[in-house]
Amino acid sequence: MTGETVIKNGTVVTESGSFQGSVYIKDEKIKAIGDHESFSSPGTIIDAEGKLVMPGMVDPHVHLDDVFTMDSYESGSSAAALGGITTFIDFAWQGWVDETTPWGSAEEAPSLTQAVARKKSKASEVLVDYGLHASVTREDIRVFEELRDILADGITSIKMLTINGVGISNGFMDSVFRFLADKGAVAMVHTEDPSVCGHLTEKFQREGKTDFVWFPESRPDYTEAMAADDAVQMAIESGCKYYGVHTTSKKAADVLVSSQLKHGKELVRAETCTHYMKFTEEIYEDEEKAPLGKIIPPLRTDADAESLLEYVMTGTLDVVSTDHGSYSRADKTKSENWWDVAPGSPSLQYSLPVFHDLAVNSGRMSYSELVQVMAYNPAQLFGLPEKGSLEPGTDADIVIFDPDKEFVVNSKNNAAAADYSLYEGQKLTGAVDKTFVRGELVADNGHIVAEPGHGHFLERELPDWDF
């Protein structure tokens, strides 16, 4: 679809409110919002009566085409489009050497610059727009020279991890924080204490505790809080913007709350994921679902899930993401030992309707608040001022959402490569009707209607977190 389009008679939802009106699209941009009678005659009129017209969702935490997923950019972005997600940010991983990687030595493992180039080369079939985070996994001082070039290339957020295998020490992390603070870039951190988690995992392995109920016990909530406390304190001391990824527990969230109260949200922000509010560790007691629910960090208690939703509602947690990663059911169930099962869950296609059901249909959040945490906030936090909004002049990334349509999640409908879903069999009220990326209709009533390759790589700005 090209030229001029008016989406009329819908409930237009922005981050600040909602009203009955229309959206006028021209030349890939939102030209105006308001009364369609005042718009010039366009080539196409879409009647959205009874439906919501929202900004396309922005997911800043996605894994495609690497060792953490079997999805290609085409399959993963198709799932995103069907789920109302018009922009995602993937990860380019500096190579590391352990039992999970294909590289035989540190010399063979790709540099950060090579990882970025590889990701871009794999994205020719992407349907929606995308950006990249750069992930530092080795303590090599040459990475600082690479980071200068990567930041200049519009990759303005750098991920670090504290876990075994891909994690780095606090000392090296402190150096990265200081470097990023000087540049105004964002540091993202996956926090779990490697010593405690490693010790518990080895202990349970020695004791033959293969049942999945021991998986969350091997990575308890206090290890997430411990590592978060260390990381956020280092970031604050350096003046670096700190973004906590996939917050899973009240203890970890409380660390972030304390830091925000002392130092303000200009330096400390965080996300959680849909599955951490929807599911709990009880899933690990279900023989069939347990391996499918292996996610790192693990699912937590009912109290944690409730606390996370409360923190999203109050704005302590700014973003709801997916941490999408696809595997086959065969891969997830090939071992009876929980430690041999790959972690990850495919969520791009269902995150919006699931969170809508969980937060809005329950009466706990408004549609504008949903737009804040799934579109506006992630766009602002990661330097994408053209995304996550219906402001005239921004990209015409739009989702038309039917709040009353009921459907049952069936993995046979997955666009992602995974042949299962944690949400299998869930009856949801609220479904994506149409998805537009820069004015182009890419998904319509559960079908991909655009040609692969419509999506663009997004060079991102250094963000201002004072909002």
Side-chain angles (χ1 to χ4, degrees):
M1 183 180 296
T2 57
E4 296 176 279
T5 302
V6 166
I7 303 171
K8 70 174 187 176
N9 295 335
T11 299
V12 178
V13 183
T14 73
E15 73 280 1
S16 58
S18 60
F19 60 92
Q20 289 298 120
S22 303
V23 178
Y24 177 22
I25 301 168
K26 184 178 181 181
D27 299 330
E28 297 193 345
K29 299 289 185 179
I30 294 172
K31 183 73 172 178
I33 56 175
D35 182 358
H36 84 275
E37 300 291 345
S38 65
F39 302 154
S40 62
S41 299
T44 304
I45 296 178
I46 296 173
D47 193 339
E49 185 174 2
K51 297 171 184 173
L52 309 174
V53 183
M54 302 188 289
M57 303 299 122
V58 178
D59 189 342
H61 195 151
V62 171
H63 299 284
L64 297 180
D65 207 323
D66 59 33
V67 296
F68 298 110
T69 182
M70 61 189 290
D71 266 318
S72 66
Y73 269 83
E74 182 178 358
S75 65
S77 64
S78 295
L82 292 172
I85 295 169
T86 55
T87 302
F88 65 80
I89 311 180
D90 186 19
F91 296 86
W93 294 88
Q94 180 186 36
W96 70 97
V97 180
D98 68 4
E99 66 278 2
T100 68
T101 63
W103 311 295
S105 66
E107 290 72 26
E108 296 175 45
S111 69
L112 204 51
T113 304
Q114 290 170 330
V116 168
R118 177 194 174 279
K119 283 286 186 172
K120 289 183 178 181
S121 74
K122 293 288 186 176
S124 61
E125 303 294 285
V126 68
L127 275 157
V128 305
D129 289 347
Y130 79 102
L132 291 171
H133 308 292
S135 298
V136 174
T137 64
R138 296 201 310 265
E139 299 190 7
D140 184 342
I141 61 172
R142 291 173 295 183
V143 80
F144 293 103
E145 196 60 44
E146 289 188 282
L147 287 176
R148 289 186 179 90
D149 294 335
I150 285 168
L151 293 174
D153 195 28
I155 299 172
T156 56
S157 46
I158 308 302
K159 184 179 182 181
M160 296 173 282
L161 305 90
T162 63
I163 60 177
N164 291 318
V166 294
I168 59 177
S169 69
N170 279 0
F172 197 78
M173 186 179 294
D174 186 61
S175 297
V176 176
F177 282 139
R178 294 181 185 280
F179 176 88
L180 297 179
D182 183 60
K183 308 299 181 185
V186 175
M188 311 167 66
V189 188
H190 173 143
T191 59
E192 292 177 282
D193 184 84
S195 177
V196 177
C197 292
H199 173 79
L200 289 171
T201 297
E202 292 172 2
K203 177 178 183 291
F204 295 157
Q205 288 174 337
R206 287 195 308 270
E207 294 172 352
K209 293 178 175 176
T210 62
D211 193 281
F212 271 87
V213 296
W214 294 101
F215 168 57
E217 298 297 322
S218 75
R219 312 178 87 98
D221 57 357
Y222 64 85
T223 66
E224 182 185 10
M226 289 165 58
D229 192 42
D230 282 352
V232 76
Q233 289 301 321
M234 287 188 290
I236 288 167
E237 287 296 324
S238 67
C240 180
K241 296 182 183 72
Y242 177 93
Y243 183 87
V245 302
H246 50 42
T247 308
T248 76
S249 65
K250 184 178 186 301
K251 288 179 181 176
D254 285 346
V255 169
L256 300 171
V257 172
S258 176
S259 296
Q260 288 175 344
L261 290 173
K262 290 178 183 177
H263 304 284
K265 297 192 74 172
E266 293 83 359
L267 281 181
V268 182
R269 303 280 186 153
E271 69 177 21
T272 189
C273 305
T274 319
H275 45 257
Y276 291 122
M277 293 177 284
K278 179 67 175 177
F279 300 110
T280 72
E281 62 187 8
E282 289 182 4
I283 204 169
Y284 301 122
E285 299 173 8
D286 185 311
E287 185 175 341
E288 180 180 353
K289 294 180 179 179
L292 306 181
K294 183 181 176 183
I295 302 164
I296 292 179
L299 301 168
R300 304 293 187 190
T301 65
D302 285 325
D304 285 311
E306 174 61 23
S307 292
L308 293 174
L309 181 54
E310 289 283 344
Y311 278 140
V312 170
M313 291 164 54
T314 59
T316 298
L317 295 176
D318 305 271
V319 173
V320 174
S321 70
T322 65
D323 193 10
H324 174 95
S326 280
Y327 295 91
S328 68
R329 181 181 290 269
D331 281 338
K332 294 286 278 187
T333 58
K334 66 184 179 182
S335 176
E336 294 182 356
N337 300 328
W338 55 263
W339 53 82
D340 290 328
V341 173
S345 178
S347 299
L348 278 167
Q349 191 166 336
Y350 304 113
S351 180
L352 172 57
V354 168
F355 187 68
H356 170 262
D357 217 43
L358 185 68
V360 178
N361 285 344
S362 66
R364 304 183 71 176
M365 292 181 70
S366 69
Y367 282 109
S368 289
E369 289 168 333
L370 180 149
V371 165
Q372 288 171 22
V373 299
M374 297 193 80
Y376 183 78
N377 287 354
Q380 295 299 309
L381 292 174
F382 288 101
L384 292 167
E386 300 294 308
K387 303 295 186 180
S389 170
L390 295 180
E391 194 69 25
T394 61
D395 287 348
D397 294 353
I398 296 169
V399 56
I400 300 178
F401 189 82
D402 186 339
D404 300 317
K405 183 175 180 178
E406 295 182 347
F407 74 101
V408 176
V409 176
N410 186 334
S411 58
K412 291 181 180 180
N413 298 322
N414 284 2
D419 56 356
Y420 73 94
S421 172
L422 274 186
Y423 305 107
E424 187 80 39
Q426 299 264 331
K427 184 178 180 180
L428 302 174
T429 301
V432 173
D433 180 52
K434 291 177 171 60
T435 303
F436 299 82
V437 176
R438 286 175 283 104
E440 181 82 13
L441 183 64
V442 296
D444 189 6
N445 194 29
H447 301 281
I448 296 298
V449 295
E451 291 297 318
H454 176 69
H456 291 169
F457 172 71
L458 301 170
E459 293 188 9
R460 295 182 287 118
E461 301 177 359
L462 293 167
D464 180 358
W465 281 10
D466 188 14
F467 69 93

